[in-house]
Amino acid sequence: MHPTPPHTAHTAQTAHTAHTAQTPDLPEQRRIKLGGTTREEVLTMLGAGAGSLALDWLLYERVLPLSGAFGFLLCWYLLFLALYTLVGRLQWDALTVRERLATALAWSSGLLVLAVIVEQIGYVAVRGLDAARHWNFFTETMRTTAPLSPITSGGCLHAVVGSLEQLGLATLFSVPLGVVTAVFLVETGTSRRSARFVTPVRVLVEAMTALPSIVAGLFVLGVVILTLGAEKSGLAASLALTVMMTPIVTRAAEVVVRLVPGTLKEASYALGAGQWRTVRHVVLPTARPGLTTAVVLGMARGVGETSPVLLTAGFTARMNLDPLHGNQASLPLYVWNYVKQPYPDMVARAFAGALTLMAVVLVLFVTARVLGRHRAPTERRARRPLRRARTTAAAPVPAPVPAPVLAVESR
């Protein structure tokens, strides 16, 4: 090892000192935390909430002649947003204040919707708990139950069966019609010959979407029952529900069919398939999860309708398994018929019927979502070659064998 010359070390130390003197002191860097909440943000929100509540109470009780729970809560919410903005502006910059105010608005809106849902379900559950806690409510009909009969007598079994039959028939009628109409609006709109029919069909569908339910019931009552001479039955009620469900299914299915990538259709056409074969084997299987959602939306619209069923199905306290003949009860009609009676047990049965209707809707939604998650057959078949290709790509590739070189003697 050779020792460093003194003049070289002195030169390096002088250069380092000059570089340090020319470089300014950088400010201390602070780590920025993305997402989550800090302690100061939580304390600011709690302080704004407590201060706005106190100010709201002072205005309502001491200053202004105001009253009412809804107005009190609304003023509290507005005062909270204003106070949270002012307090936040004292410690944060304008961009941070806007971001956290938007976060507070989003969270409060979600909590408000959740509170309304919980309040509605809780109110119905509390009012109908006296009847729903007895098993006879789900296993008996109202055939032998009088207005003054005890709560342990009678139930809603006939109404549940009627609702399921009517909704099933309405779904059987409306879903094929709605899906075919949606495919017509999407696929036929590109043809010049059939394009002139697209606009009238779309206008009719949009008009039917805003159709009041009582009008659908009056239509079926006037055409099917009074004109054709049919009797009030579950079939007539299902026809009225079909009028209500078809435009909902059509509009939702049209949006879903339009979202199918055009490259899939072009690939099908390139392989020689026709338009309707492409729709059947490519478009509809690809859009099946979205079509399931469209069906669920239509069922949600029809399962709780009361006016069409009231005009077309009639009401009975007995079990009627035949939707083609005789009056048939349903859960909405069961609730409407008993909730207006002056007997507490009958009102409890009505609220228990509403709770049962919520349970039926929940079961239908969960079933539809579970069925919609299954992959289409074409998607499963399309994923098999991809798995094989990945397996082949992952396998070691043998080294190529050099071809024998033939030496040709030149003469």
Side-chain angles (χ1 to χ4, degrees):
M1 297 179 61
H2 299 282
T4 304
H7 65 276
T8 306
H10 178 71
T11 305
Q13 183 178 4
T14 305
H16 177 71
T17 306
H19 178 73
T20 306
Q22 293 177 358
T23 303
D25 294 336
L26 296 176
E28 183 180 357
Q29 296 182 356
R30 186 175 60 179
R31 180 173 296 180
I32 300 177
K33 183 180 179 181
L34 300 178
T37 56
T38 60
R39 183 177 64 178
E40 59 181 5
E41 184 178 357
V42 174
L43 294 178
T44 302
M45 185 174 297
L46 293 177
S52 59
L53 178 61
L55 181 59
D56 189 23
W57 178 84
L58 182 63
L59 293 177
Y60 258 75
E61 298 295 334
R62 296 289 184 256
V63 179
L64 301 176
L66 301 176
S67 62
F70 178 75
F72 182 85
L73 296 176
L74 180 61
C75 291
W76 181 21
Y77 182 69
L78 296 178
L79 289 174
F80 164 73
L81 294 179
L83 191 60
Y84 183 69
T85 304
L86 293 176
V87 176
R89 193 65 183 91
L90 296 176
Q91 51 185 334
W92 305 314
D93 58 291
L95 181 61
T96 304
V97 171
R98 288 197 297 268
E99 189 269 335
R100 294 183 177 176
L101 182 62
T103 303
L105 283 171
W107 275 94
S108 58
S109 301
L111 292 176
L112 177 62
V113 173
L114 182 62
V116 171
I117 294 175
V118 171
E119 189 271 337
Q120 294 293 325
I121 297 177
Y123 178 78
V124 174
V126 170
R127 293 293 302 272
L129 185 61
D130 292 339
R133 64 183 179 181
H134 300 286
W135 285 108
N136 62 281
F137 182 78
F138 304 101
T139 58
E140 297 181 3
T141 65
M142 298 292 292
R143 179 180 180 181
T144 59
T145 303
L148 296 178
S149 298
I151 200 67
T152 56
S153 175
C156 66
L157 180 61
H158 62 297
V160 173
V161 174
S163 291
L164 293 179
E165 288 186 354
Q166 295 170 15
L167 184 62
L169 290 175
T171 304
L172 183 63
F173 297 152
S174 62
V175 170
L177 183 59
V179 173
V180 169
T181 305
V183 172
F184 170 79
L185 293 176
V186 175
E187 298 294 332
T188 315
T190 58
S191 177
R192 293 184 179 180
R193 295 181 179 179
S194 305
R196 60 179 180 270
F197 299 106
V198 173
T199 302
V201 173
R202 180 172 284 108
V203 171
L204 180 61
V205 170
E206 293 179 355
M208 291 179 63
T209 305
L211 187 71
S213 59
I214 189 67
V215 176
L218 290 173
F219 172 76
V220 176
L221 176 65
V223 175
V224 178
I225 297 177
L226 298 181
T227 302
L228 301 180
E231 59 179 340
K232 291 185 177 182
S233 60
L235 178 62
S238 64
L239 293 178
L241 295 179
T242 301
V243 177
M244 302 300 303
M245 294 170 57
T246 301
I248 304 297
V249 176
T250 300
R251 297 196 65 178
E254 180 185 1
V255 174
V256 173
V257 173
R258 287 186 183 277
L259 293 178
V260 176
T263 53
L264 296 179
K265 302 186 218 179
E266 294 173 0
S268 178
Y269 294 148
L271 293 175
Q275 183 179 19
W276 296 112
R277 188 177 181 85
T278 301
V279 169
R280 179 183 175 185
H281 294 282
V282 176
V283 176
L284 294 181
T286 305
R288 191 178 68 175
L291 295 177
T292 304
T293 305
V295 174
V296 169
L297 291 176
M299 294 172 66
R301 175 66 187 273
V303 70
E305 292 292 343
T306 306
S307 300
V309 179
L310 177 64
L311 296 175
T312 55
F315 183 77
T316 180
R318 301 181 178 183
M319 175 71 73
N320 183 11
L321 298 177
D322 186 7
L324 304 179
H325 303 91
N327 295 345
Q328 190 178 52
S330 63
L331 280 174
L333 196 56
Y334 179 91
V335 175
W336 179 85
N337 187 68
Y338 292 130
V339 76
K340 61 182 180 179
Q341 295 193 11
Y343 307 104
D345 291 342
M346 286 297 184
V347 175
R349 292 186 180 95
F351 277 97
L355 189 62
T356 306
L357 180 60
M358 292 181 183
V360 170
V361 173
L362 179 62
V363 170
L364 292 175
F365 268 71
V366 172
T367 303
R369 295 307 300 170
V370 170
L371 294 177
R373 285 183 185 150
H374 292 289
R375 295 173 183 170
T378 55
E379 185 180 355
R380 290 196 296 266
R381 287 195 297 266
R383 286 182 178 272
R384 291 173 186 171
L386 293 178
R387 295 197 190 106
R388 295 173 184 171
R390 292 173 185 172
T391 306
T392 306
V397 180
V401 179
V405 180
L406 300 179
V408 181
E409 296 181 356
S410 57
R411 295 180 181 179

